[in-house]
Amino acid sequence: MKEIELKLQGKIKRLTNRTFKFDERVREGWFSAVYFLKTKEIVKKYKPDNIVTMQFFQKEHAVLCGTDEVIALVKTFAEQPEELEIYSLKDGDKISPFETVLTIKGPYQNFGFLEGIIDGILARRTSVSTNVYNVMNAAGISGIQKPIIFMGDRDDHFTQQAGDGYAAYIGGSKAQATHAMNEWWGKKGMGTMPHALIQLFNGDVVAAAKAYHEMFPEDELIVLVDYNNDVISDALKAAHEFGEKLKAVRVDTSRTMIDQYFIKHPEVLGTFDPRGVNPPLIFALREALDRGGFEHVKIVVSGGFNEKRIKEFEEQQVPVDMYGVGGSLLKINIGFTGDNVELNGDPEAKAGRRYRPNPRLELVE
């Protein structure tokens, strides 16, 4: 892996001094579709002097991400990159369907083989940033923006964490589970305890929390309370033990489980689904904490949350203070297309495609 430090200057303002890690085999075409490589060789022999304009777009309302990474890629692996003219939008820009987000102009053989890689970078980063942006909007419909913890480490290959974490940051998430997720934007990962820690203390939530607090006294104490499937009882035990030191409890009940609260109080059961983390359980937890004098203890929920589910919680004014979200943020649902739309300054493109000038594009020098 080759580490490339991005230092871009010119009209377009970008985060600088960010290090991207690229595999040197990009230069050899290892990650490019074979037909691009064959086209490169044909063009070198038969049409070496042609100049093309390649433009990139997608078909959704989205939050753009990946442009810095793409520019670093092109500057690193294109042949004679100084001959290329690049115009781009910026990471974080809101974009519309079919809006041109990037153009590259130059000899096709110098950069055309990178087309698919560029599409892939923009697709993944923009999908993640847009997913996070939509979830953040859902978590703020009450007028109070509630934080989102990006917990996608278990939902994809670990090598994607740095780029995905940066895309999540562009989308609005400032709390992320691993150090790698924070690598490109200069913070550290956050988190408290997994179920494994409680298991090692024989299911004793308070004992596990004590050990955690003694080992990491500078951390805000957030206690996981669903291990024994008795959220309210364990939350109150932790609250009585730690008092003002307890900042929050996290509920992560499996979608296949019904918490003991509903077993003890069958009269509250109704038409709702009592499995997993559900609104009546969180309302009951908040009421129990407040009744015990622990109004300061916040509630964090996780486990299968997505934009739709968060919106439902917020519309019901469920007393959640923070959401932990993972797999739903990593779904790739935005695809980019790169098209050659000009040849030697004249319109030339496949049927249905044309050059779409965008006054928002800025020159990258």
Side-chain angles (χ1 to χ4, degrees):
M1 299 288 283
K2 183 175 183 178
E3 294 190 357
I4 304 299
E5 189 172 334
L6 176 63
K7 293 183 178 179
L8 294 175
Q9 298 177 351
K11 293 181 180 179
I12 190 163
K13 294 181 180 179
R14 299 181 177 276
L15 294 173
T16 57
N17 303 329
R18 188 177 319 124
T19 299
F20 296 96
K21 296 178 181 178
F22 291 124
D23 191 317
E24 269 290 351
R25 292 176 296 175
V26 171
R27 195 185 309 278
E28 302 164 9
W30 189 251
F31 301 98
S32 296
V34 171
Y35 61 8
F36 289 138
L37 304 180
K38 292 178 177 178
T39 300
K40 175 182 178 180
E41 296 307 312
I42 294 170
V43 170
K44 276 185 175 181
K45 181 175 180 180
Y46 294 101
K47 297 288 184 178
D49 299 324
N50 279 346
I51 301 297
V52 302
T53 299
M54 186 180 294
Q55 81 180 2
F56 294 84
F57 71 94
Q58 54 81 57
K59 302 177 182 178
E60 309 291 336
H61 290 282
V63 178
L64 180 63
C65 190
T67 61
D68 284 0
E69 192 176 356
V70 164
I71 291 165
L73 176 93
V74 174
K75 294 287 188 181
T76 305
F77 295 114
E79 296 179 12
Q80 298 177 297
E82 67 279 358
E83 294 185 3
L84 303 179
E85 186 178 281
I86 304 174
Y87 284 82
S88 176
L89 296 182
K90 299 183 293 293
D91 288 351
D93 280 345
K94 308 299 190 301
I95 56 175
S96 302
F98 297 98
E99 180 177 9
T100 302
V101 303
L102 173 75
T103 63
I104 306 174
K105 183 177 181 179
Y108 178 86
Q109 64 271 21
N110 289 13
F111 71 95
F113 70 102
L114 298 172
E115 177 185 332
I117 302 176
I118 294 170
D119 285 336
I121 291 173
L122 294 174
R124 184 178 187 98
R125 304 299 182 231
T126 300
S127 290
V128 174
S129 63
T130 303
N131 292 341
V132 173
Y133 177 79
N134 291 337
V135 163
M136 292 295 296
N137 281 346
I141 61 176
S142 66
I144 300 173
Q145 183 61 65
K146 298 178 180 179
I148 298 295
I149 307 173
F150 180 50
M151 304 173 69
D153 53 296
R154 68 192 59 200
D155 297 295
D156 208 338
H157 198 279
F158 72 93
T159 56
Q160 300 299 321
Q161 287 186 20
D164 288 345
Y166 169 69
Y169 166 77
I170 290 296
S173 172
K174 307 301 189 294
Q176 306 192 14
T178 74
H179 296 318
M181 291 173 180
N182 295 261
E183 179 182 347
W184 289 4
W185 56 283
K187 299 293 182 181
K188 291 184 177 180
M190 67 157 290
T192 52
M193 62 183 67
H195 294 99
L197 178 63
I198 301 171
Q199 183 255 356
L200 292 166
F201 284 83
N202 299 104
D204 189 331
V205 173
V206 171
K210 276 185 178 180
Y212 180 92
H213 189 54
E214 289 174 6
M215 184 67 69
F216 302 102
E218 71 285 356
D219 284 6
E220 291 190 341
L221 182 60
I222 302 175
V223 176
L224 184 61
V225 293
D226 64 277
Y227 183 88
N228 297 305
N229 199 39
D230 196 354
V231 161
I232 294 175
S233 294
D234 278 341
L236 290 174
K237 287 178 184 177
H240 283 290
E241 177 66 31
F242 296 103
E244 291 295 325
K245 294 179 182 179
L246 180 63
K247 299 302 180 183
V249 293
R250 178 162 74 95
V251 183
D252 189 52
T253 306
S254 167
R255 297 298 295 269
T256 64
M257 300 287 288
I258 297 176
D259 188 86
Q260 287 297 310
Y261 170 73
F262 298 114
I263 307 301
K264 298 173 184 176
H265 301 280
E267 70 277 5
V268 303
L269 292 171
T271 58
F272 67 92
D273 185 347
R275 297 173 298 174
V277 182
N278 58 76
L281 178 61
I282 302 305
F283 277 115
L285 173 59
R286 180 75 272 164
E287 182 183 355
L289 288 168
D290 292 350
R291 191 169 57 245
F294 305 112
E295 295 90 347
H296 69 283
V297 177
K298 297 183 181 298
I299 298 175
V300 183
V301 298
S302 56
F305 277 89
N306 54 24
E307 178 187 358
K308 179 177 180 292
R309 196 166 169 218
I310 291 174
K311 187 176 180 181
E312 290 172 351
F313 268 56
E314 290 300 300
E315 287 175 343
Q316 296 177 54
Q317 298 183 327
V318 181
V320 171
D321 298 289
M322 182 179 292
Y323 294 93
V325 190
S328 68
L329 300 179
L330 296 179
K331 295 188 182 302
I332 309 303
N333 46 37
I334 295 174
F336 277 79
T337 298
D339 285 318
N340 287 350
V341 291
E342 288 186 336
L343 179 64
N344 299 321
D346 296 321
E348 182 63 45
K350 76 172 186 176
R353 296 284 193 262
R354 61 179 175 83
Y355 177 49
R356 294 176 180 269
N358 184 356
R360 295 209 295 156
L361 293 175
E362 297 181 41
L363 177 66
V364 178
E365 296 180 356

